Amino acid sequence: MDDKKLKKMLCEFNITIDDLKQTAACVRYDIEQGLKNKPTSLKMLKSYIGLPSGAETGEYLALDFGGTNLRVVLVRLDGNGKYSIIKKIVKPLKVPGVYDFIGAQAKAEDLFDFIAGIIAEVIDGDKKKKYFLGHTFSFPSSQTNIYNARLITWTKEFATSGVEGHVVNDLLKEALIRQGFGNVEPIAVINDTVAVLLAAAYKSSDTYISSIYATGHNTCYFETYQGSDGKPMIINLEIGGFNKLVVNEYDNRLNADSELPDQQRMEKMVSGRYIGELFTYCMQDLFAAVGKIHFSSIDLSAILNDEETELPVIRKLIIERIGVEITRQEAENIKKLAAVIVSRSAHIVAASFCGVLWHIFPENIPAHNIVIDGSVFEKMPLVTDNMYRTLNEILGDESANVRLVLENGGSVLGAAVAAAMNK
Ligand code: BGC
């Protein structure tokens, strides 16, 4: 293992507090530019939905489409922030060697037929009763109303043909009709960040910012458009596309090899889909590894969780993946590398939250919850602590008012709430 290279890498992934303050300021600037329709690295997509009252009731189908697993759930909203799950089916969109609805060979029709089939299963093949469906579609889409989200571009390395440029609910409706389920009516489509905000707001008020920190990364907030003629609504920032960050050679290599070079630059530095890749590029360099080696964010988590003195988990992983025996000290250094990659991710995400907070609360920041869903936030070691550290370094005393709150399963509940708000 090349120790000199490792030292250099540790420096390259280190991010200074000045850089982070700059990130926060640039995020705020880009939001405000976007609101004036001026050039910005944020897509600032209108959701055409505001915040729920919490009194929404009724039975709805919720479709959560945006990660490796597809979820279809029949949800009953009871009002007062209460709800129950009546039936739920979760299926992967890709099973290696069996089927793949998200690769470049996959076609829109097959993908949406697959989805319609799962919806049919959830409603037990019922072709009579009317069902309203809320759809959480977690990709950048432009909307002119709550129904017609048109996919701008796939992200997270999805590549199914025939979906980009199309209204996803139309594709879904056509598939439902092909299978005789015209009684299922998609009536609302929202981004997953928006779903999480709706879910949190359904249960309690005073929540204006939500984020997904998982395979992908993104943030939305409730925009009041004070002093302008816009209608208050949630704005999906598509913050994964923010491009004013200091990048290093590994970020650039990953970017060049990705499905969409030069897009989603922030997402490629922070999200679960990519932090394992960054680590992989580093490991290839450190071990001059020929052939294909790969580490995922789950491996990063295992490395960071190895607390035993001799670091057996890390050493075993390196033997398995690279075929090299390493010393305890080398394992320690590999753990440091995993830590800087993960910590940088957490610092950047928290800095971007500061930019959003400054935009919403230009005077001073009141007690406020930022709701977050996603496995990186929930499970990755070092993430929460480093996020709070950055909030503190950027916001000073005001950071005591900000709480980062896990909102699990918001994509499903939010889809049902969106359907109820638009029935
Ligand atoms: C997508 C966003 C989504 C995020 C989290 C990103 O790749 O562009 O729309 O909110 O992933 O799922």
Side-chain angles (χ1 to χ4, degrees), residues 236-359:
N236 164 14
L237 292 173
E238 283 297 327
I239 204 145
F242 179 70
N243 64 6
K244 298 175 179 167
L245 293 163
V246 182
V247 292
N248 65 30
E249 82 170 85
Y250 300 99
D251 297 313
N252 287 336
R253 271 162 60 182
L254 182 152
N255 176 53
D257 292 347
S258 66
E259 284 279 348
L260 292 176
D262 299 336
Q263 291 187 41
Q264 300 298 98
R265 289 308 301 257
M266 172 161 156
E267 186 169 56
K268 287 174 190 162
M269 296 168 79
V270 304
S271 83
R273 175 66 182 76
Y274 298 104
I275 49 181
E277 302 278 329
L278 287 171
F279 183 76
T280 302
Y281 283 100
C282 294
M283 297 303 279
Q284 284 169 343
D285 261 16
L286 284 180
F287 289 93
V290 276
K292 230 173 152 38
I293 58 166
H294 185 257
F295 293 86
S296 66
S297 58
I298 295 170
D299 297 323
L300 282 181
S301 179
I303 290 171
L304 293 172
N305 274 324
D306 190 357
E307 301 287 354
E308 282 186 44
T309 327
E310 290 303 316
L311 300 170
V313 175
I314 302 177
R315 294 166 80 179
K316 185 161 168 262
L317 191 68
I318 301 301
I319 293 181
E320 279 170 10
R321 299 289 163 83
I322 313 184
V324 174
E325 291 235 14
I326 54 169
T327 64
R328 204 209 75 86
Q329 185 54 50
E330 285 173 327
E332 185 74 53
N333 290 341
I334 284 174
K335 192 170 173 183
K336 277 190 195 148
L337 178 65
V340 284
I341 292 175
V342 168
S343 305
R344 184 185 71 158
S345 159
H347 292 311
I348 294 172
V349 170
S352 74
F353 288 166
C354 295
V356 186
L357 284 163
W358 282 338
H359 166 68

Side-chain angles (χ1 to χ4, degrees), residues 376-420:
V376 179
F377 179 67
E378 189 180 355
K379 298 189 185 138
M380 184 67 79
L382 304 180
V383 163
T384 314
D385 286 354
N386 278 299
M387 288 177 82
Y388 275 113
R389 188 165 307 145
T390 300
L391 291 177
N392 184 263
E393 275 166 344
I394 298 180
L395 303 175
D397 291 347
E398 281 190 314
S399 67
N401 292 341
V402 182
R403 280 203 326 134
L404 305 174
V405 179
L406 178 69
E407 173 63 55
N408 238 332
S411 292
V412 166
L413 175 58
V417 172

Side-chain angles (χ1 to χ4, degrees), residues 68-79:
T68 32
N69 285 318
L70 185 97
R71 287 183 190 80
V72 181
V73 185
L74 192 58
V75 182
R76 197 183 59 237
L77 302 178
D78 296 317

